Amino acid sequence: MPAGVDNLERLEEEACREIAAAASLQALTEVRARYLGKKGSVAEVLRGIGDLAGDQRARIGQLANSAKRRIEMVVSERRRALERGQRDRTLGAERLDITLPGAEEPRAGHLHPVTRVFRDMVEFFTSMGFSIEEGPEVETEYHSFEALNIPKLHPARDEQDTFYVEGGNALRPHTSNVQIRTMTGRTPPFRFIAPGRVYRHDLSPRHYPMFHQIEGFLVDERVTFADLKGVLHAFGRHLMSDDIELRFRANHFPFTEPSAEMDYGCLLCERKGCGICSNSGWIEWGGCGMIHPQVLENCGIDPDRYQGFAFGMGVDRTALLRYGIPDIRLLFEGDLRVLEQV
Ligand SMILES: [Zn+2]
């Protein structure tokens, strides 16, 4: 191609037209090669300027170079436009309408077995006029032990059983701290339940380092052990069966006097003996007793005038029995396959 100002202008115009018409990145690459490649039209013009006179050669050379730059610019603009178009097409094809109904029906969850048992227990006691009290899970030694008649050297304070934290506090090993906090500064009569999490060093199919307890206590004048048994019988009937049988075995707790362990007759074998009740016909349910006069006094309540009863039981064990779950650890591992069966 002969070198010349007219030729260069025409070349540039043609290039721009073809670039604008390039419908794909591939076509654009081809157009670019035709004009700017080693054997392209612009290179051809530049090769031709060797024959020109000195001043003209410099001028045409300059024009050819600026034409080259402009074409290069138009090519990159076109490339960006083509890439944008391609991206929009891809996004359009992959567009997701999140307002459309799902292909699968959403699965409804349900409450955790422990929560269900808890709610059931709380419902019973509130219907009997007990109110609900809560206390801290990190508790002072005074509220967890001393005020409950558990002196410094008592085995319950052993670090084998209790998780101690910095500053002389401990993760509460029972919900009885709530008893102390609630009774202190209050004048009887009153009745409360304290449901919550407690912590002990233990791990086996029947024990977990964190578990749930519910504790109840009532203080009034002329309260007797018979009142305690009456409340627990009604509770057992509500929670398990109208045919429930309870058994009270004398025991010792530092914070009650007299104290008893209570069992209920195994409902599965009707006390004939089975795997669930270890062939004894009875299942341990919890501890109870009359609140120790010293504990009342620790809370500023006159033990000569008032008496009270207290009881406490594990909630998780009830959930295991009610839903036929063989291992307490299954309750807290969050395995949906287990929880869905409940
Ligand atoms: Zn049994």
mmCIF file of all heavy atoms in Angstrom, residues 193-235:
data_model
loop_
_atom_site.group_PDB
_atom_site.id
_atom_site.type_symbol
_atom_site.label_atom_id
_atom_site.label_comp_id
_atom_site.label_asym_id
_atom_site.label_seq_id
_atom_site.Cartn_x
_atom_site.Cartn_y
_atom_site.Cartn_z
ATOM 1 N N ILE A 193 -39.316 -22.903 91.807
ATOM 2 C CA ILE A 193 -38.522 -23.942 91.140
ATOM 3 C C ILE A 193 -37.351 -23.247 90.452
ATOM 4 O O ILE A 193 -37.457 -22.092 90.042
ATOM 5 C CB ILE A 193 -39.299 -24.786 90.104
ATOM 6 C CG1 ILE A 193 -40.073 -23.886 89.148
ATOM 7 C CG2 ILE A 193 -40.182 -25.797 90.778
ATOM 8 C CD1 ILE A 193 -40.539 -24.616 87.910
ATOM 9 N N ALA A 194 -36.248 -23.985 90.367
ATOM 10 C CA ALA A 194 -35.039 -23.451 89.736
ATOM 11 C C ALA A 194 -34.571 -24.445 88.690
ATOM 12 O O ALA A 194 -33.921 -25.429 89.017
ATOM 13 C CB ALA A 194 -33.952 -23.246 90.784
ATOM 14 N N PRO A 195 -34.945 -24.242 87.447
ATOM 15 C CA PRO A 195 -34.450 -25.130 86.389
ATOM 16 C C PRO A 195 -33.161 -24.553 85.798
ATOM 17 O O PRO A 195 -33.005 -23.336 85.734
ATOM 18 C CB PRO A 195 -35.558 -25.091 85.338
ATOM 19 C CG PRO A 195 -36.311 -23.812 85.590
ATOM 20 C CD PRO A 195 -35.918 -23.261 86.927
ATOM 21 N N GLY A 196 -32.228 -25.409 85.396
ATOM 22 C CA GLY A 196 -31.024 -24.848 84.764
ATOM 23 C C GLY A 196 -29.922 -25.849 84.524
ATOM 24 O O GLY A 196 -30.030 -27.034 84.838
ATOM 25 N N ARG A 197 -28.843 -25.315 83.956
ATOM 26 C CA ARG A 197 -27.670 -26.130 83.617
ATOM 27 C C ARG A 197 -26.739 -26.226 84.818
ATOM 28 O O ARG A 197 -26.543 -25.243 85.532
ATOM 29 C CB ARG A 197 -26.889 -25.469 82.478
ATOM 30 C CG ARG A 197 -27.344 -25.861 81.110
ATOM 31 C CD ARG A 197 -26.390 -25.313 80.079
ATOM 32 N NE ARG A 197 -26.513 -23.873 79.971
ATOM 33 C CZ ARG A 197 -27.342 -23.277 79.105
ATOM 34 N NH1 ARG A 197 -28.075 -23.998 78.290
ATOM 35 N NH2 ARG A 197 -27.423 -21.968 79.058
ATOM 36 N N VAL A 198 -26.147 -27.404 85.010
ATOM 37 C CA VAL A 198 -25.155 -27.598 86.064
ATOM 38 C C VAL A 198 -23.966 -28.365 85.479
ATOM 39 O O VAL A 198 -24.066 -28.931 84.387
ATOM 40 C CB VAL A 198 -25.761 -28.357 87.273
ATOM 41 C CG1 VAL A 198 -26.890 -27.556 87.893
ATOM 42 C CG2 VAL A 198 -26.259 -29.733 86.865
ATOM 43 N N TYR A 199 -22.849 -28.360 86.221
ATOM 44 C CA TYR A 199 -21.597 -28.882 85.653
ATOM 45 C C TYR A 199 -20.850 -29.757 86.645
ATOM 46 O O TYR A 199 -20.665 -29.365 87.801
ATOM 47 C CB TYR A 199 -20.693 -27.711 85.264
ATOM 48 C CG TYR A 199 -21.356 -26.752 84.313
ATOM 49 C CD1 TYR A 199 -22.155 -25.713 84.797
ATOM 50 C CD2 TYR A 199 -21.215 -26.899 82.940
ATOM 51 C CE1 TYR A 199 -22.796 -24.836 83.921
ATOM 52 C CE2 TYR A 199 -21.839 -26.028 82.057
ATOM 53 C CZ TYR A 199 -22.625 -24.999 82.557
ATOM 54 O OH TYR A 199 -23.246 -24.141 81.693
ATOM 55 N N ARG A 200 -20.437 -30.929 86.200
ATOM 56 C CA ARG A 200 -19.577 -31.783 87.029
ATOM 57 C C ARG A 200 -18.612 -32.560 86.145
ATOM 58 O O ARG A 200 -18.925 -32.862 85.000
ATOM 59 C CB ARG A 200 -20.426 -32.779 87.844
ATOM 60 C CG ARG A 200 -21.097 -32.129 89.039
ATOM 61 C CD ARG A 200 -21.907 -33.137 89.826
ATOM 62 N NE ARG A 200 -23.071 -32.472 90.426
ATOM 63 C CZ ARG A 200 -24.030 -33.092 91.075
ATOM 64 N NH1 ARG A 200 -23.991 -34.398 91.219
ATOM 65 N NH2 ARG A 200 -25.051 -32.411 91.576
ATOM 66 N N HIS A 201 -17.465 -32.896 86.725
ATOM 67 C CA HIS A 201 -16.461 -33.701 86.028
ATOM 68 C C HIS A 201 -16.986 -35.115 85.856
ATOM 69 O O HIS A 201 -16.897 -35.907 86.775
ATOM 70 C CB HIS A 201 -15.200 -33.803 86.902
ATOM 71 C CG HIS A 201 -14.170 -32.786 86.571
ATOM 72 N ND1 HIS A 201 -13.407 -32.846 85.437
ATOM 73 C CD2 HIS A 201 -13.781 -31.668 87.233
ATOM 74 C CE1 HIS A 201 -12.586 -31.820 85.407
ATOM 75 N NE2 HIS A 201 -12.789 -31.080 86.479
ATOM 76 N N ASP A 202 -17.517 -35.447 84.718
ATOM 77 C CA ASP A 202 -18.060 -36.786 84.550
ATOM 78 C C ASP A 202 -18.396 -37.013 83.083
ATOM 79 O O ASP A 202 -18.943 -36.133 82.444
ATOM 80 C CB ASP A 202 -19.349 -36.934 85.372
ATOM 81 C CG ASP A 202 -19.362 -38.226 86.164
ATOM 82 O OD1 ASP A 202 -18.609 -39.145 85.784
ATOM 83 O OD2 ASP A 202 -20.110 -38.305 87.156
ATOM 84 N N LEU A 203 -18.057 -38.176 82.572
ATOM 85 C CA LEU A 203 -18.460 -38.492 81.206
ATOM 86 C C LEU A 203 -18.613 -39.998 81.061
ATOM 87 O O LEU A 203 -17.671 -40.756 81.228
ATOM 88 C CB LEU A 203 -17.430 -37.977 80.185
ATOM 89 C CG LEU A 203 -17.827 -38.119 78.711
ATOM 90 C CD1 LEU A 203 -19.093 -37.319 78.405
ATOM 91 C CD2 LEU A 203 -16.706 -37.682 77.792
ATOM 92 N N SER A 204 -19.850 -40.414 80.793
ATOM 93 C CA SER A 204 -20.148 -41.835 80.600
ATOM 94 C C SER A 204 -21.501 -41.882 79.903
ATOM 95 O O SER A 204 -22.115 -40.841 79.686
ATOM 96 C CB SER A 204 -20.216 -42.536 81.965
ATOM 97 O OG SER A 204 -21.414 -42.162 82.632
ATOM 98 N N PRO A 205 -21.985 -43.101 79.560
ATOM 99 C CA PRO A 205 -23.308 -43.137 78.907
ATOM 100 C C PRO A 205 -24.414 -42.493 79.754
ATOM 101 O O PRO A 205 -25.437 -42.096 79.240
ATOM 102 C CB PRO A 205 -23.557 -44.639 78.720
ATOM 103 C CG PRO A 205 -22.195 -45.232 78.649
ATOM 104 C CD PRO A 205 -21.341 -44.410 79.579
ATOM 105 N N ARG A 206 -24.192 -42.406 81.076
ATOM 106 C CA ARG A 206 -25.241 -41.845 81.932
ATOM 107 C C ARG A 206 -24.882 -40.472 82.490
ATOM 108 O O ARG A 206 -25.695 -39.850 83.161
ATOM 109 C CB ARG A 206 -25.523 -42.806 83.094
ATOM 110 C CG ARG A 206 -26.145 -44.114 82.589
ATOM 111 C CD ARG A 206 -26.299 -45.088 83.706
ATOM 112 N NE ARG A 206 -27.320 -44.613 84.642
ATOM 113 C CZ ARG A 206 -28.122 -45.411 85.316
ATOM 114 N NH1 ARG A 206 -28.022 -46.707 85.150
ATOM 115 N NH2 ARG A 206 -29.004 -44.935 86.159
ATOM 116 N N HIS A 207 -23.652 -40.026 82.270
ATOM 117 C CA HIS A 207 -23.228 -38.734 82.826
ATOM 118 C C HIS A 207 -22.565 -37.876 81.767
ATOM 119 O O HIS A 207 -21.846 -38.378 80.905
ATOM 120 C CB HIS A 207 -22.252 -38.948 83.982
ATOM 121 C CG HIS A 207 -22.858 -39.688 85.119
ATOM 122 N ND1 HIS A 207 -22.711 -41.053 85.258
ATOM 123 C CD2 HIS A 207 -23.634 -39.271 86.144
ATOM 124 C CE1 HIS A 207 -23.367 -41.448 86.339
ATOM 125 N NE2 HIS A 207 -23.939 -40.382 86.892
ATOM 126 N N TYR A 208 -22.816 -36.580 81.866
ATOM 127 C CA TYR A 208 -22.244 -35.626 80.933
ATOM 128 C C TYR A 208 -21.719 -34.455 81.755
ATOM 129 O O TYR A 208 -22.298 -34.117 82.782
ATOM 130 C CB TYR A 208 -23.351 -35.165 79.971
ATOM 131 C CG TYR A 208 -22.827 -34.667 78.658
ATOM 132 C CD1 TYR A 208 -22.330 -35.542 77.707
ATOM 133 C CD2 TYR A 208 -22.836 -33.303 78.361
ATOM 134 C CE1 TYR A 208 -21.843 -35.083 76.496
ATOM 135 C CE2 TYR A 208 -22.359 -32.846 77.144
ATOM 136 C CZ TYR A 208 -21.864 -33.739 76.216
ATOM 137 O OH TYR A 208 -21.393 -33.283 75.018
ATOM 138 N N PRO A 209 -20.616 -33.822 81.334
ATOM 139 C CA PRO A 209 -20.063 -32.728 82.167
ATOM 140 C C PRO A 209 -21.023 -31.557 82.334
ATOM 141 O O PRO A 209 -20.906 -30.790 83.276
ATOM 142 C CB PRO A 209 -18.810 -32.288 81.399
ATOM 143 C CG PRO A 209 -18.549 -33.318 80.379
ATOM 144 C CD PRO A 209 -19.784 -34.114 80.164
ATOM 145 N N MET A 210 -21.953 -31.400 81.416
ATOM 146 C CA MET A 210 -22.983 -30.373 81.551
ATOM 147 C C MET A 210 -24.314 -31.098 81.508
ATOM 148 O O MET A 210 -24.511 -31.930 80.625
ATOM 149 C CB MET A 210 -22.876 -29.382 80.389
ATOM 150 C CG MET A 210 -23.854 -28.232 80.404
ATOM 151 S SD MET A 210 -25.523 -28.623 79.875
ATOM 152 C CE MET A 210 -25.269 -29.343 78.259
ATOM 153 N N PHE A 211 -25.157 -30.862 82.462
ATOM 154 C CA PHE A 211 -26.472 -31.482 82.401
ATOM 155 C C PHE A 211 -27.505 -30.551 83.020
ATOM 156 O O PHE A 211 -27.172 -29.424 83.408
ATOM 157 C CB PHE A 211 -26.471 -32.883 83.045
ATOM 158 C CG PHE A 211 -25.998 -32.919 84.481
ATOM 159 C CD1 PHE A 211 -26.914 -33.042 85.526
ATOM 160 C CD2 PHE A 211 -24.653 -32.853 84.790
ATOM 161 C CE1 PHE A 211 -26.497 -33.089 86.842
ATOM 162 C CE2 PHE A 211 -24.224 -32.894 86.115
ATOM 163 C CZ PHE A 211 -25.138 -33.012 87.135
ATOM 164 N N HIS A 212 -28.743 -30.984 83.065
ATOM 165 C CA HIS A 212 -29.825 -30.092 83.501
ATOM 166 C C HIS A 212 -30.496 -30.637 84.750
ATOM 167 O O HIS A 212 -30.729 -31.837 84.860
ATOM 168 C CB HIS A 212 -30.862 -29.934 82.389
ATOM 169 C CG HIS A 212 -30.279 -29.357 81.134
ATOM 170 N ND1 HIS A 212 -29.647 -30.141 80.197
ATOM 171 C CD2 HIS A 212 -30.186 -28.080 80.695
ATOM 172 C CE1 HIS A 212 -29.210 -29.353 79.214
ATOM 173 N NE2 HIS A 212 -29.523 -28.119 79.492
ATOM 174 N N GLN A 213 -30.788 -29.714 85.628
ATOM 175 C CA GLN A 213 -31.459 -30.085 86.868
ATOM 176 C C GLN A 213 -32.682 -29.220 87.043
ATOM 177 O O GLN A 213 -32.719 -28.094 86.566
ATOM 178 C CB GLN A 213 -30.527 -29.794 88.053
ATOM 179 C CG GLN A 213 -29.844 -31.009 88.604
ATOM 180 C CD GLN A 213 -29.133 -30.721 89.909
ATOM 181 O OE1 GLN A 213 -29.075 -29.599 90.383
ATOM 182 N NE2 GLN A 213 -28.589 -31.762 90.490
ATOM 183 N N ILE A 214 -33.628 -29.756 87.769
ATOM 184 C CA ILE A 214 -34.701 -28.884 88.226
ATOM 185 C C ILE A 214 -34.784 -29.085 89.725
ATOM 186 O O ILE A 214 -34.687 -30.210 90.225
ATOM 187 C CB ILE A 214 -36.052 -29.160 87.522
ATOM 188 C CG1 ILE A 214 -37.048 -28.063 87.888
ATOM 189 C CG2 ILE A 214 -36.597 -30.532 87.874
ATOM 190 C CD1 ILE A 214 -38.248 -28.009 86.959
ATOM 191 N N GLU A 215 -34.883 -27.982 90.419
ATOM 192 C CA GLU A 215 -34.928 -28.050 91.857
ATOM 193 C C GLU A 215 -36.154 -27.276 92.301
ATOM 194 O O GLU A 215 -36.530 -26.296 91.672
ATOM 195 C CB GLU A 215 -33.659 -27.383 92.392
ATOM 196 C CG GLU A 215 -33.643 -27.249 93.871
ATOM 197 C CD GLU A 215 -32.212 -27.177 94.385
ATOM 198 O OE1 GLU A 215 -31.315 -27.750 93.749
ATOM 199 O OE2 GLU A 215 -32.020 -26.534 95.419
ATOM 200 N N GLY A 216 -36.794 -27.755 93.354
ATOM 201 C CA GLY A 216 -37.955 -27.029 93.847
ATOM 202 C C GLY A 216 -37.868 -26.909 95.355
ATOM 203 O O GLY A 216 -37.281 -27.771 96.018
ATOM 204 N N PHE A 217 -38.392 -25.844 95.899
ATOM 205 C CA PHE A 217 -38.425 -25.729 97.357
ATOM 206 C C PHE A 217 -39.586 -24.854 97.787
ATOM 207 O O PHE A 217 -40.062 -23.989 97.044
ATOM 208 C CB PHE A 217 -37.094 -25.217 97.911
ATOM 209 C CG PHE A 217 -36.600 -23.948 97.265
ATOM 210 C CD1 PHE A 217 -36.801 -22.728 97.880
ATOM 211 C CD2 PHE A 217 -35.936 -23.999 96.056
ATOM 212 C CE1 PHE A 217 -36.337 -21.565 97.283
ATOM 213 C CE2 PHE A 217 -35.474 -22.844 95.461
ATOM 214 C CZ PHE A 217 -35.673 -21.620 96.070
ATOM 215 N N LEU A 218 -40.047 -25.164 98.981
ATOM 216 C CA LEU A 218 -41.210 -24.468 99.525
ATOM 217 C C LEU A 218 -40.968 -24.242 101.010
ATOM 218 O O LEU A 218 -40.512 -25.151 101.705
ATOM 219 C CB LEU A 218 -42.444 -25.347 99.288
ATOM 220 C CG LEU A 218 -43.809 -24.889 99.830
ATOM 221 C CD1 LEU A 218 -44.909 -25.438 98.951
ATOM 222 C CD2 LEU A 218 -44.029 -25.346 101.279
ATOM 223 N N VAL A 219 -41.212 -23.052 101.472
ATOM 224 C CA VAL A 219 -41.026 -22.739 102.897
ATOM 225 C C VAL A 219 -42.302 -22.085 103.424
ATOM 226 O O VAL A 219 -42.855 -21.178 102.787
ATOM 227 C CB VAL A 219 -39.818 -21.796 103.121
ATOM 228 C CG1 VAL A 219 -39.636 -21.491 104.611
ATOM 229 C CG2 VAL A 219 -38.538 -22.404 102.558
ATOM 230 N N ASP A 220 -42.760 -22.602 104.560
ATOM 231 C CA ASP A 220 -43.975 -22.051 105.168
ATOM 232 C C ASP A 220 -44.020 -22.545 106.616
ATOM 233 O O ASP A 220 -43.154 -23.311 107.054
ATOM 234 C CB ASP A 220 -45.213 -22.544 104.390
ATOM 235 C CG ASP A 220 -46.424 -21.625 104.598
ATOM 236 O OD1 ASP A 220 -46.404 -20.799 105.544
ATOM 237 O OD2 ASP A 220 -47.385 -21.752 103.816
ATOM 238 N N GLU A 221 -45.065 -22.176 107.334
ATOM 239 C CA GLU A 221 -45.228 -22.735 108.675
ATOM 240 C C GLU A 221 -45.905 -24.100 108.555
ATOM 241 O O GLU A 221 -46.718 -24.306 107.667
ATOM 242 C CB GLU A 221 -46.099 -21.792 109.520
ATOM 243 C CG GLU A 221 -45.373 -20.480 109.847
ATOM 244 C CD GLU A 221 -46.264 -19.501 110.584
ATOM 245 O OE1 GLU A 221 -46.498 -19.704 111.784
ATOM 246 O OE2 GLU A 221 -46.729 -18.546 109.938
ATOM 247 N N ARG A 222 -45.558 -25.002 109.434
ATOM 248 C CA ARG A 222 -46.159 -26.339 109.508
ATOM 249 C C ARG A 222 -46.044 -27.136 108.193
ATOM 250 O O ARG A 222 -46.977 -27.795 107.749
ATOM 251 C CB ARG A 222 -47.631 -26.254 109.929
ATOM 252 C CG ARG A 222 -47.783 -25.815 111.382
ATOM 253 C CD ARG A 222 -49.228 -25.876 111.837
ATOM 254 N NE ARG A 222 -50.049 -24.868 111.150
ATOM 255 C CZ ARG A 222 -50.108 -23.581 111.516
ATOM 256 N NH1 ARG A 222 -49.395 -23.139 112.538
ATOM 257 N NH2 ARG A 222 -50.884 -22.747 110.863
ATOM 258 N N VAL A 223 -44.896 -27.051 107.552
ATOM 259 C CA VAL A 223 -44.650 -27.870 106.354
ATOM 260 C C VAL A 223 -44.036 -29.187 106.815
ATOM 261 O O VAL A 223 -43.167 -29.201 107.692
ATOM 262 C CB VAL A 223 -43.677 -27.167 105.384
ATOM 263 C CG1 VAL A 223 -43.365 -28.061 104.195
ATOM 264 C CG2 VAL A 223 -44.270 -25.852 104.906
ATOM 265 N N THR A 224 -44.511 -30.297 106.270
ATOM 266 C CA THR A 224 -43.991 -31.597 106.695
ATOM 267 C C THR A 224 -43.502 -32.412 105.502
ATOM 268 O O THR A 224 -43.741 -32.054 104.336
ATOM 269 C CB THR A 224 -45.078 -32.435 107.404
ATOM 270 O OG1 THR A 224 -46.040 -32.798 106.406
ATOM 271 C CG2 THR A 224 -45.742 -31.652 108.524
ATOM 272 N N PHE A 225 -42.863 -33.525 105.822
ATOM 273 C CA PHE A 225 -42.385 -34.451 104.790
ATOM 274 C C PHE A 225 -43.562 -34.990 103.963
ATOM 275 O O PHE A 225 -43.420 -35.302 102.775
ATOM 276 C CB PHE A 225 -41.624 -35.604 105.451
ATOM 277 C CG PHE A 225 -40.607 -36.230 104.540
ATOM 278 C CD1 PHE A 225 -39.274 -35.830 104.594
ATOM 279 C CD2 PHE A 225 -40.956 -37.222 103.639
ATOM 280 C CE1 PHE A 225 -38.331 -36.399 103.750
ATOM 281 C CE2 PHE A 225 -40.026 -37.796 102.793
ATOM 282 C CZ PHE A 225 -38.693 -37.379 102.849
ATOM 283 N N ALA A 226 -44.733 -35.073 104.588
ATOM 284 C CA ALA A 226 -45.917 -35.571 103.865
ATOM 285 C C ALA A 226 -46.276 -34.620 102.720
ATOM 286 O O ALA A 226 -46.703 -35.053 101.642
ATOM 287 C CB ALA A 226 -47.092 -35.725 104.823
ATOM 288 N N ASP A 227 -46.091 -33.292 102.944
ATOM 289 C CA ASP A 227 -46.365 -32.326 101.873
ATOM 290 C C ASP A 227 -45.420 -32.562 100.692
ATOM 291 O O ASP A 227 -45.819 -32.524 99.529
ATOM 292 C CB ASP A 227 -46.169 -30.892 102.390
ATOM 293 C CG ASP A 227 -47.126 -30.567 103.523
ATOM 294 O OD1 ASP A 227 -48.315 -30.901 103.383
ATOM 295 O OD2 ASP A 227 -46.679 -29.998 104.535
ATOM 296 N N LEU A 228 -44.147 -32.811 101.050
ATOM 297 C CA LEU A 228 -43.138 -33.078 100.015
ATOM 298 C C LEU A 228 -43.542 -34.296 99.179
ATOM 299 O O LEU A 228 -43.553 -34.261 97.944
ATOM 300 C CB LEU A 228 -41.783 -33.321 100.691
ATOM 301 C CG LEU A 228 -40.644 -33.851 99.825
ATOM 302 C CD1 LEU A 228 -40.312 -32.890 98.706
ATOM 303 C CD2 LEU A 228 -39.410 -34.109 100.683
ATOM 304 N N LYS A 229 -43.935 -35.382 99.873
ATOM 305 C CA LYS A 229 -44.314 -36.607 99.157
ATOM 306 C C LYS A 229 -45.544 -36.368 98.283
ATOM 307 O O LYS A 229 -45.625 -36.860 97.157
ATOM 308 C CB LYS A 229 -44.578 -37.744 100.157
ATOM 309 C CG LYS A 229 -43.298 -38.243 100.805
ATOM 310 C CD LYS A 229 -43.564 -39.251 101.906
ATOM 311 C CE LYS A 229 -43.746 -40.652 101.360
ATOM 312 N NZ LYS A 229 -43.826 -41.639 102.476
ATOM 313 N N GLY A 230 -46.478 -35.569 98.798
ATOM 314 C CA GLY A 230 -47.692 -35.276 98.026
ATOM 315 C C GLY A 230 -47.362 -34.555 96.724
ATOM 316 O O GLY A 230 -47.860 -34.921 95.646
ATOM 317 N N VAL A 231 -46.481 -33.555 96.829
ATOM 318 C CA VAL A 231 -46.114 -32.780 95.632
ATOM 319 C C VAL A 231 -45.393 -33.674 94.627
ATOM 320 O O VAL A 231 -45.673 -33.653 93.417
ATOM 321 C CB VAL A 231 -45.230 -31.566 96.029
ATOM 322 C CG1 VAL A 231 -44.578 -30.951 94.797
ATOM 323 C CG2 VAL A 231 -46.053 -30.526 96.774
ATOM 324 N N LEU A 232 -44.471 -34.514 95.133
ATOM 325 C CA LEU A 232 -43.697 -35.358 94.218
ATOM 326 C C LEU A 232 -44.560 -36.440 93.560
ATOM 327 O O LEU A 232 -44.361 -36.775 92.390
ATOM 328 C CB LEU A 232 -42.507 -35.982 94.953
ATOM 329 C CG LEU A 232 -41.412 -34.965 95.300
ATOM 330 C CD1 LEU A 232 -40.349 -35.592 96.197
ATOM 331 C CD2 LEU A 232 -40.760 -34.383 94.042
ATOM 332 N N HIS A 233 -45.526 -36.962 94.293
ATOM 333 C CA HIS A 233 -46.451 -37.936 93.695
ATOM 334 C C HIS A 233 -47.232 -37.294 92.557
ATOM 335 O O HIS A 233 -47.365 -37.873 91.473
ATOM 336 C CB HIS A 233 -47.407 -38.492 94.760
ATOM 337 C CG HIS A 233 -46.893 -39.738 95.416
ATOM 338 N ND1 HIS A 233 -46.837 -40.948 94.770
ATOM 339 C CD2 HIS A 233 -46.387 -39.951 96.650
ATOM 340 C CE1 HIS A 233 -46.322 -41.858 95.584
ATOM 341 N NE2 HIS A 233 -46.031 -41.279 96.745
ATOM 342 N N ALA A 234 -47.734 -36.096 92.827
ATOM 343 C CA ALA A 234 -48.513 -35.400 91.788
ATOM 344 C C ALA A 234 -47.626 -35.113 90.573
ATOM 345 O O ALA A 234 -48.054 -35.254 89.424
ATOM 346 C CB ALA A 234 -49.074 -34.095 92.349
ATOM 347 N N PHE A 235 -46.378 -34.744 90.851
ATOM 348 C CA PHE A 235 -45.433 -34.448 89.779
ATOM 349 C C PHE A 235 -45.155 -35.704 88.944
ATOM 350 O O PHE A 235 -45.171 -35.676 87.709
ATOM 351 C CB PHE A 235 -44.141 -33.907 90.401
ATOM 352 C CG PHE A 235 -43.093 -33.498 89.410
ATOM 353 C CD1 PHE A 235 -43.438 -32.855 88.228
ATOM 354 C CD2 PHE A 235 -41.749 -33.735 89.665
ATOM 355 C CE1 PHE A 235 -42.464 -32.450 87.310
ATOM 356 C CE2 PHE A 235 -40.771 -33.339 88.757
ATOM 357 C CZ PHE A 235 -41.126 -32.706 87.583
#
